[in-house]
Amino acid sequence: MNIDYLLCMVPAFLLTIIASWYVKSAYSKWGKVPASSGISGYQAAQKLIAAGGLQGVQIEGVAGTLTDNYDPRTKVLHLSQSVAQNPSIASIAVAAHELGHAQQDAQGYFPLRLRSALVPMVSIGSSLGWIMIMIGMFLAYAGMTLGTDIAWLGVLVFSGGALFALATLPVELNASARARRLLSETGIISNYEEQRGVGKVLNAAALTYVAALVTAILQLLYFVSMVAGLGRRR
Ligand SMILES: [Zn+2]
């Protein structure tokens, strides 16, 4: 690791830390504010499933904190214990956001399908791309022209990760917009103060996806500059 890498990654690292702190603080603040409707995340999810025409969606528990998710393959909404049980603004916001994904799934929302299609590419891409870049560089330094080509191919494979982070952003922002709409349509969230709280929790979560995108892009740019430097050596 050289200094250029640090220069590239320090801003991404700081943004990731800030985003994660912001999520925890928004979640803990609005996790203590009860919703005037008095319902928990689990009850909100039940109401939204009925109101949103999502009857095929099952609700199950999941271990951990902020681990809530919707699985399009099994049509299961996984709620963490604190979201399921707490009658707070934060719990309701999180449950509604995940059901926003369920609604995207039910309607065949294209960006969600694109993201799901990219998943296998990303899990292989990030490690394989990195290995190819390293092998390519090694060969190039050993004087083999083929090395530079292999390294560029590695960059291409690696860019799948940045593409995934890019595809994730509209999916997440759209799920949050759907959550806000579902919550006001069903009257679960009615007054301005509660809407503001839901917005704070959802925006904090969105920031973590922005941080992931910035990290992926900076990492990619670093690899591009490294491999481009390789070409200039000859
Ligand atoms: Zn989401």
Side-chain angles (χ1 to χ4, degrees):
M1 189 190 289
N2 60 39
I3 191 70
D4 293 328
Y5 185 75
L6 286 178
L7 274 177
C8 247
M9 295 323 288
V10 163
F13 182 68
L14 288 178
L15 187 61
T16 305
I17 302 253
I18 291 167
S20 127
W21 170 82
Y22 190 51
V23 166
K24 285 198 189 95
S25 108
Y27 186 74
S28 94
K29 182 182 174 197
W30 292 97
K32 294 186 193 86
V33 181
S36 56
S37 52
I39 62 174
S40 66
Y42 183 83
Q43 290 166 317
Q46 281 181 316
K47 273 195 164 195
L48 293 175
I49 285 172
L54 300 166
Q55 278 78 5
V57 175
Q58 304 292 314
I59 308 173
E60 285 175 17
V62 62
T65 311
L66 291 173
T67 44
D68 310 78
N69 67 84
Y70 168 74
D71 188 341
R73 291 163 303 177
T74 53
K75 318 283 175 212
V76 172
L77 168 68
H78 295 110
L79 292 182
S80 63
Q81 199 182 11
S82 93
V83 165
Q85 293 177 357
N86 284 356
S88 72
I89 298 288
S91 299
I92 291 172
V94 170
H97 171 90
E98 296 309 332
L99 284 174
H101 287 307
Q103 202 182 51
Q104 290 173 336
D105 180 32
Q107 294 174 3
Y109 180 66
F110 178 72
L112 179 74
R113 279 161 46 198
L114 177 70
R115 184 176 68 165
S116 306
L118 286 172
V119 170
M121 201 172 130
V122 174
S123 44
I124 309 165
S126 53
S127 46
L128 183 68
W130 197 82
I131 291 168
M132 286 172 74
I133 292 167
M134 290 307 135
I135 291 175
M137 290 199 40
F138 178 78
L139 292 178
Y141 277 108
M144 273 176 253
T145 353
L146 187 67
T148 313
D149 296 333
I150 293 175
W152 275 123
L153 203 60
V155 169
L156 193 69
V157 172
F158 190 84
S159 68
L163 204 62
F164 179 77
L166 188 65
T168 294
L169 211 52
V171 174
E172 294 303 330
L173 294 177
N174 177 267
S176 288
R178 287 169 188 267
R180 285 194 187 90
R181 204 180 316 133
L182 282 168
L183 288 173
S184 62
E185 276 171 8
T186 50
I188 293 176
I189 293 295
S190 47
N191 67 55
Y192 171 75
E193 183 62 9
E194 294 190 336
Q195 278 166 359
R196 197 176 70 90
V198 166
K200 288 266 180 198
V201 173
L202 295 179
N203 289 344
L207 190 63
T208 62
Y209 294 103
V210 174
L213 177 60
V214 170
T215 305
I217 289 174
L218 286 175
Q219 223 162 14
L220 185 62
L221 284 178
Y222 172 72
F223 282 138
V224 167
S225 78
M226 195 168 73
V227 178
L230 210 59
R232 277 196 298 275
R233 273 166 39 88
R234 276 180 283 113

